Amino acid sequence: MRWFGFGFNAFGQICVHNELSKDEGRDTVSDVKIMNPTELHRNVDKSVCGRNKCLKTSQIRASWSRRVWLHVDGDSCVCLAGFGGTSVVDSSGCTDTVLSETHLTLAFSDRIESWDLQKKEKTPAWSMEIQPPTDTSGPPLSLPLVPGGYIATKPPFYRSLSPHLKAKSLALGAEHAILLSATGAVYTWGLGSHGQLGHGGLTSEEEPRAVEALWGMPMKHVVTGGWHCACISDGADLYIWGWNESGQLGLPSQSLRKGHKEESSQQAAADCQSASINPGGKPLEGEKDKEVFISIQAFPALLDISPSCEIRTVSCGSRHTAAVTATGDLYTWGWGEYGQLGHKNLISTDEPQCVDFFKEQKLYVVDVVCGPWNTFTAVGEEEVKLS
Amino acid sequence: MAVLWSKLSAVLPPNEEEFPLQFSDKVESSVVSVLQQSRRQLYSDATSTDRTLTAQIILDLSWEKLNTGTWRDVDKEWRRVYSYGCLFKVAALCREHPSADEILQGIRTCDMGLLMGAAIMDNVLQVLVQILQEEVRKSTKEEEKRLKTERPRVPVIKDEQAVPRIKCPSLESFKSDYLLPLRPVILEATADHWPAFNEHPWSVEYLRSVAGCRTVPVEVGSRYTDEEWSQTLLTVNEFIDQYVLNRVSASSLTVGYLAQHQLFDQIPELKEDIRIPDYCCLGDGDEDDITVNQNFLVQVVGSKYIRLYSPEDTDKLYPHQSSLLHNTSQVEVENPDTERFPEFARAPYLECVLQPGDVLFIPVQHWHYIRSLELSFSVSFWWS
């Protein structure tokens, strides 16, 4: 499995800068904003992490200033890169990781540990023991879920969850959370000011509340971005909701269009209500109609990534979204000013676009993981199935 | 233009060592490292592109923090970080022979820091924006102005329901007759001495000359309960062109309102043109919560139709249930739906047409309905 990264790289979390320019404190645009998908080098220091090829699965997680790479292959190996340099964490037996701006959380078969990345301490800031699963029938819980609850991004780390939710997977945004239950139902809670809870309003929820609009449609995968959520149904459809200020929902975004207009227009006053040219080439309805823009989508919306296709997996950054289709293509949309959309430019877009790089290189995309301002993509053989 | 940079840098610390960058633990060390990078670039010969890039990283990250959670809960540290981002961006923009457009961008950046950030380094952004504004004023020419001339319907005020008018009452009589019993009143001839009526009469031209290139928040839409109501940021010039002079065709369909904003902190020149009414000294101090304050609404230019309802009649005013709008009535005051809101017709009220020079006392928690009858400027004083 090979990984490629693009987007925000100010800390070398995708690829390390030219050493010379780093010393002089010079950050050139091409170092900070990686516009072209770039392959990640797995062993920065061969003597420490002697992996040349990761035959089985590997996992990447990214925070704003770092990236962590877990090689699950016999003796597992956790490699950290970005702010604070590259290092290998003592982690044999690690099965799962979660990375926030302040903490790295590792899951082992018998314990969970959270390490404070801002302090160089010899022991984890927090840890808990877990019972190794007695039955091996079901898949192990993936972080941040742990038996009985989940691990939050800031103290108190352990938060309990009601067993009746039957939590199967959980994703945490800065101020909201989305949970997928074993029945395929979706629950959200936290702040709702940007419609990110999907209940149709802007009010917050203290406790997990079922997203009723999805009732009766079992979901198999849920993710969050900064102010939006996405999920994939058993039928491989993509549903999305929340804030659309940068087009991260793939719906027409007025602030995005206005921003593009201001950059290209010569005049001071912008007429932003007219039926303007639709870059997607889709015909506008009616004559001189106002184009309908959506800044907040408070109920889940079905997003059709044309040409219509099954969605295999999805991930969200702060203000962008990336999806992998069953045919091995990667589509991205939303905020693109750091190159995180991978379209070889720094343009944000509210229309899902295929990342041509992988098609051109005849690479089959199998997974995508977004950091807040960047995107990591795994390519592999068509036969490889995601666990 | 090197002269401009020497004026700007004179306001900044002389070297890296004396440039303060202190933050609480809330700001992660990775973020602090980027701030330190910007500080380093300020005093080195980095390229303008590099400086702008680093400043933008700070702005983009702190913008995300400012939009996380409710505004009230945003940690002041992130607002400070945002202001530093603005500072470094302005320095990058205006360093090497900035064009007129770059100076305007610099002013806008300062305004963004003043609007959304928190004061840093003795409010350095306020100082920088004055320097930049001065630069712009030197090169502005006079323009021909055209004002809206149509006069919409002016309501006839019935005597029994009129807000009483009184000329310059003593502090004691205002307190005993109106403040303590919480009765609305219009104080006439109370603001006559303001420079805004005398040496610097306020007008569209005056506002342009004093603050034309400054960025301010504008509410767009007739009612803030409308679906199409929104807020945007415009320069005062853009606001005047689009919403006052109707020069931009699409905007004549909508109404723009420069409101709810600490304009006088942002543009101190305008503050010099007004005076705090003496009667405000009758309050006992605490101004934190705007909803428990008394209000003086001073009309400076144009006129407004105003209706006031007592908090005792709240039950007849059908406020919205949600927490966001619980202090807003659902009723369209001048065109009430009598089927949905039958009690509204029985709610007693006082009304007036507020003219230039009038000072309206709106007692605490009184419901108010306001419709501008023509181009209107008012100044609001909250006190308690």
Side-chain angles (χ1 to χ4, degrees), chain B residues 102-327:
Chain B
E102 281 167 328
I103 298 182
L104 287 178
Q105 276 186 63
I107 291 174
R108 184 186 159 84
T109 305
C110 287
D111 276 330
M112 293 306 293
L114 291 168
L115 290 170
M116 309 232 291
I120 52 167
M121 296 165 65
D122 290 329
N123 210 7
V124 65
L125 289 177
Q126 187 67 61
V127 180
L128 291 175
V129 80
Q130 317 275 58
I131 296 173
L132 293 174
Q133 250 194 306
E134 204 36 59
E135 204 60 37
V136 167
R137 273 199 205 110
K138 285 187 203 157
S139 46
T140 307
K141 292 166 217 153
E142 285 301 318
E143 280 181 5
E144 249 233 292
K145 310 299 181 290
R146 177 175 52 87
L147 292 169
K148 272 202 278 201
T149 47
E150 10 88 40
R151 279 192 127 243
R153 54 201 161 98
V154 181
V156 174
I157 305 296
K158 309 180 205 49
D159 279 339
E160 320 85 72
Q161 289 168 230
V163 176
R165 287 174 172 272
I166 179 170
K167 249 191 171 79
C168 300
S170 66
L171 289 178
E172 296 81 20
S173 59
F174 171 74
K175 183 171 180 176
S176 59
D177 298 342
Y178 300 101
L179 177 56
L180 291 176
L182 296 180
R183 291 179 54 210
V185 63
I186 292 175
L187 307 172
E188 294 177 326
T190 305
D192 287 355
H193 57 290
W194 284 15
F197 294 108
N198 299 293
E199 304 90 70
H200 297 147
W202 280 11
S203 64
V204 170
E205 298 86 357
Y206 177 71
L207 205 54
R208 247 199 227 280
S209 69
V210 167
C213 51
R214 303 299 304 275
T215 296
V216 290
V218 173
E219 300 177 8
V220 177
S222 309
R223 284 185 296 264
Y224 60 84
T225 46
D226 278 350
E227 258 185 23
E228 278 137 23
W229 183 89
S230 68
Q231 292 170 302
T232 186
L233 292 169
L234 298 174
T235 61
V236 170
N237 280 333
E238 286 166 345
F239 171 64
I240 291 172
D241 284 339
Q242 291 176 33
Y243 296 98
V244 175
L245 301 181
N246 298 133
R247 280 183 182 173
V248 180
S249 56
S251 306
S252 62
L253 300 172
T254 55
V255 169
Y257 178 41
L258 208 180
Q260 308 282 45
H261 172 55
Q262 307 277 49
L263 192 68
F264 301 106
D265 287 338
Q266 192 194 357
I267 308 179
E269 297 92 322
L270 291 177
K271 199 173 188 174
E272 320 247 300
D273 293 338
I274 65 173
R275 297 285 178 267
I276 298 176
D278 292 336
Y279 307 93
C280 293
C281 74
L282 294 170
D284 44 32
D286 189 14
E287 291 141 35
D288 279 342
D289 187 353
I290 224 179
T291 59
V292 297
N293 282 349
Q294 316 284 1
N295 182 274
F296 281 126
L297 182 65
V298 183
Q299 192 64 18
V300 184
V301 175
S303 55
K304 284 182 150 114
Y305 169 66
I306 301 180
R307 214 190 262 197
L308 300 173
Y309 290 85
S310 159
E312 292 169 3
D313 299 309
T314 299
D315 54 310
K316 303 187 189 65
L317 299 178
Y318 303 91
H320 286 268
Q321 296 294 333
S322 74
S323 59
L324 280 176
L325 292 173
H326 68 273
N327 61 351

Side-chain angles (χ1 to χ4, degrees), chain A residues 11 25-27 29 32-33 64-65 83 101-102 118 175 191 194 227 243 258 269 271 318-319 335 338 373, chain B residues 28-31 33-34 37 41 49-50 53 56-57 60-61 63-64 67-69 232 238 242 248 250:
Chain A
F11 299 95
R26 196 168 301 146
D27 269 339
V29 177
V32 172
K33 305 183 180 188
W64 182 68
S65 68
F83 180 64
E101 192 52 27
T102 52
Q118 304 196 110
E175 299 284 341
L191 288 185
H194 292 88
W227 297 270
W243 203 11
K258 222 162 67 162
D271 181 0
S318 238
R319 302 151 69 186
W335 195 42
Y338 284 90
W373 296 359
Chain B
E28 297 95 349
S29 19
S30 50
V31 181
S33 79
V34 184
Q37 167 94 321
Q41 288 173 334
T49 315
D50 288 346
L53 178 63
Q56 195 59 45
I57 294 174
D60 287 334
L61 181 73
W63 182 92
E64 291 193 349
N67 279 281
T68 302
T232 186
E238 286 166 345
Q242 291 176 33
V248 180

Side-chain angles (χ1 to χ4, degrees), chain A residues 55-67:
Chain A
L55 298 169
K56 293 219 172 134
T57 52
S58 58
Q59 177 198 88
I60 288 200
R61 298 283 181 260
S63 67
W64 182 68
S65 68
R66 294 184 184 87
R67 171 256 294 168

Side-chain angles (χ1 to χ4, degrees), chain A residues 205-224:
Chain A
E205 299 285 338
E206 296 225 354
E207 296 297 320
R209 177 179 163 187
V211 178
E212 283 165 23
L214 298 176
W215 202 255
M217 264 183 307
M219 297 291 142
K220 61 181 181 186
H221 189 44
V222 295
V223 293
T224 63

Side-chain angles (χ1 to χ4, degrees), chain A residues 15 25 68 82 101 140-141 144 168 184 196 214 219 227 263 297 301-302 310 344 364:
Chain A
C15 58
V68 67
E101 192 52 27
L141 284 178
K168 183 173 160 191
Q196 63 265 56
L214 298 176
M219 297 291 142
W227 297 270
E263 276 163 28
Q297 175 66 32
L302 171 63
E310 293 191 352
K344 302 185 184 164
Y364 188 86

Side-chain angles (χ1 to χ4, degrees), chain A residues 25-26 60 69 87 108 128 177 210 239 266 272 280 314 326 359 361:
Chain A
R26 196 168 301 146
I60 288 200
W69 196 349
S87 58
F108 300 84
M128 78 182 247
Y239 290 84
Q266 308 257 330
C272 39
V314 64
K359 269 195 128 57
Q361 304 281 323

